[in-house]
Amino acid sequence: MTAPASRRKGKSAAETGPEAHDLASRPKDFLTKGEVRALLAAAKDGRHGARDHLLLTMIFQHALRAIEACRLRVDQVDLEAARVWVDRVKGGQSTHQPLTGNEVRMIRAYLRERKFDTPWLFAGERGDQLSRHAVQYIVRQAATRAKLSALPRVKMRMGGSPSLMMIAALLIQIVARYLIL
């Protein structure tokens, strides 16, 4: 049986014609290091500055999706060992990830100033779990304060790639823990 004459096999005209996306002409769909720094600095100026700054820092440092950040619980964070259990969604591999010294200090300061006891690391004003929509709102507000134009919707998850200094710091922590054990 053959395909009807009205159906074509192969690429459509939009994929092969002048309308096709050239990788060099695509709009930027990531944040530069400077934009990430500006976004993090602007997060501190919000109503819940410590929480928002920590939230965005952990999203970028650990490549968290909004829902993964919302589901983080206090018992998944081990401040003594400087690591966090990240429960991935969408088929990702859940793992322990090392926390930087700066993250440990921010988590301790945030937990000290919280006014309620809740299992969620990032909680709303009433102590309930943040929703992914709340995280998106926090990011949009920080972007507005940082005067960033448009934020990439999906690619913001990693912000390009982690800096070499961050990778080096994590490797040093891992090697140091291995030598101590």
Side-chain angles (χ1 to χ4, degrees), residues 106-161:
M106 287 191 300
I107 292 170
R108 281 191 175 128
Y110 167 62
L111 291 176
R112 270 194 311 268
E113 77 175 31
R114 279 200 329 184
K115 296 175 178 63
F116 42 79
D117 188 28
T118 180
W120 308 110
L121 181 60
F122 301 111
E125 291 180 344
R126 294 180 211 105
D128 52 341
Q129 179 184 12
L130 281 184
S131 68
R132 66 182 173 89
H133 299 292
V135 173
Q136 291 167 353
Y137 177 79
I138 290 166
V139 171
R140 276 195 311 272
Q141 292 301 309
T144 302
R145 283 192 298 275
K147 296 180 175 55
L148 297 179
S149 55
L151 282 175
R153 185 169 174 343
V154 175
K155 299 293 181 173
M156 192 191 73
R157 179 172 175 230
M158 193 56 194
S161 65

Side-chain angles (χ1 to χ4, degrees), residues 38-53 56 113 125 137-139 141-143 145-146:
L39 188 66
L40 292 175
K44 288 181 187 178
D45 298 333
R47 183 172 174 185
H48 303 284
R51 179 201 65 193
D52 296 349
H53 184 251
L56 295 185
E113 77 175 31
E125 291 180 344
Y137 177 79
I138 290 166
V139 171
Q141 292 301 309
R145 283 192 298 275

Side-chain angles (χ1 to χ4, degrees), residues 66-133:
I67 194 66
E68 292 169 347
C70 293
R71 291 180 180 172
L72 280 177
R73 294 185 321 271
V74 175
D75 63 353
Q76 291 175 298
V77 179
D78 184 356
L79 295 175
E80 298 306 315
R83 66 182 185 174
V84 61
W85 174 257
V86 177
D87 196 16
R88 297 291 184 183
V89 297
K90 293 192 174 186
Q93 184 176 5
S94 301
T95 61
H96 275 108
Q97 293 189 8
L99 294 169
T100 63
N102 190 33
E103 284 178 298
V104 171
R105 285 186 292 278
M106 287 191 300
I107 292 170
R108 281 191 175 128
Y110 167 62
L111 291 176
R112 270 194 311 268
E113 77 175 31
R114 279 200 329 184
K115 296 175 178 63
F116 42 79
D117 188 28
T118 180
W120 308 110
L121 181 60
F122 301 111
E125 291 180 344
R126 294 180 211 105
D128 52 341
Q129 179 184 12
L130 281 184
S131 68
R132 66 182 173 89
H133 299 292

Side-chain angles (χ1 to χ4, degrees), residues 1-22:
M1 187 177 246
T2 61
S6 62
R7 286 188 169 174
R8 284 187 48 215
K9 292 184 179 180
K11 297 191 181 247
S12 67
E15 291 176 340
T16 58
E19 300 87 18
H21 284 284
D22 180 12

